[in-house]
Amino acid sequence: MFDIDKVQAAPSKDLLTPDNSVMLFIDHQPQMFFGTGSGDRAAIINSTVGLAKAARAFDVPAVLTTVAAESFSGPLLPQLAEVFPKHEIIDRTTMNAWEDEALVAAVKATGRKKIVLSGLWTEVCLVLPALSALEQGYEVYVVTDASGGVSPAAHEHALQRMIAAGAVPVTWVQVLLELQRDWARQETYGAVMEIVKAHAGAYGLGVVYAQSVIGAHAAG
């Protein structure tokens, strides 16, 4: 029941924060990209790297996983590996990452309940772990533009299936700005602006323009 006396200037507990979330990157690999047809592959790579840099900027734990890297799918996307040069990459045989004990252990070790999920393909490698994690009590946020399926229909239907089960669709810029949430947070302001300029397209160009004309802190 609504009680106006309890209204206050405070964030929702549903919001992603650097302290309550973990990012899970699933199967951003060459062979998986070859079969991706739901959107521009270069755009998906750009969004994935922007998301990864957001995790690094806010010190959000990241779990990186591949499937059949040596026998079929190839190595992790080099641009993604470059963001996390010291991270262990968990290689699996299972299409459902949530059936791999090492991966589940890595997620559990973070102590975080909100999983920010991205990967290839949406209709297999995202749906399966998303449904599995949701069933076990996790909250799942699917980064739609850092993920892709074999066709637009496959991607969209997979998103609908996850949403119906309780997953929340987000974009990588949405995640970045939700983690920042206040332009007065100077400890991450500079890093956020650099990520935006490098990966956020027209928004990034707008930041470049504003900073060059108005000043270094014009964007926020």
Side-chain angles (χ1 to χ4, degrees), residues 23-29 32-33 36 38-54 77 80 116-122 125-126 141-149 155 159 162 169-175 199:
M23 294 198 190
L24 177 51
F25 295 86
I26 298 181
D27 304 348
H28 291 92
Q29 299 167 262
M32 307 306 293
F33 272 108
T36 297
S38 60
D40 181 73
R41 284 172 285 190
I44 296 172
I45 291 172
N46 176 71
S47 297
T48 301
V49 176
L51 180 66
K53 289 182 178 179
L77 180 69
L80 178 56
V116 180
L117 185 68
S118 64
L120 308 174
W121 297 319
T122 321
C125 300
L126 290 196
Y141 298 76
V142 183
V143 189
T144 60
D145 53 357
S147 306
H155 180 68
L159 290 175
M162 288 184 280
V170 293
T171 64
W172 82 267
V173 171
Q174 180 182 349
V175 172
H199 299 283

Side-chain angles (χ1 to χ4, degrees), residues 29 67-75 91:
Q29 299 167 262
V67 62
E70 295 185 3
S71 61
F72 181 73
S73 300
D91 193 46

Side-chain angles (χ1 to χ4, degrees), residues 66-193:
T66 56
V67 62
E70 295 185 3
S71 61
F72 181 73
S73 300
L76 187 72
L77 180 69
Q79 299 95 314
L80 178 56
E82 185 177 347
V83 179
F84 304 112
K86 297 182 180 180
H87 268 54
E88 175 190 5
I89 300 170
I90 301 171
D91 193 46
R92 321 177 320 277
T93 61
T94 61
M95 285 184 280
N96 179 7
W98 209 258
E99 293 180 46
D100 185 90
E101 292 185 4
L103 182 136
V104 174
V107 173
K108 288 175 62 177
T110 69
R112 312 297 178 87
K113 187 178 180 181
K114 296 179 183 291
I115 300 175
V116 180
L117 185 68
S118 64
L120 308 174
W121 297 319
T122 321
E123 66 271 28
V124 181
C125 300
L126 290 196
V127 162
L128 302 183
L131 297 180
S132 301
L134 284 165
E135 186 178 68
Q136 295 182 22
Y138 281 89
E139 299 171 30
V140 176
Y141 298 76
V142 183
V143 189
T144 60
D145 53 357
S147 306
V150 299
S151 68
H155 180 68
E156 181 60 32
H157 294 166
L159 290 175
Q160 291 176 6
R161 184 179 179 188
M162 288 184 280
I163 292 168
V168 180
V170 293
T171 64
W172 82 267
V173 171
Q174 180 182 349
V175 172
L176 173 70
L177 299 184
E178 194 163 323
L179 293 173
Q180 175 69 19
R181 213 172 68 239
D182 187 341
W183 293 123
R185 291 179 177 157
Q186 291 300 306
E187 63 272 17
T188 51
Y189 178 91
V192 168
M193 288 297 97

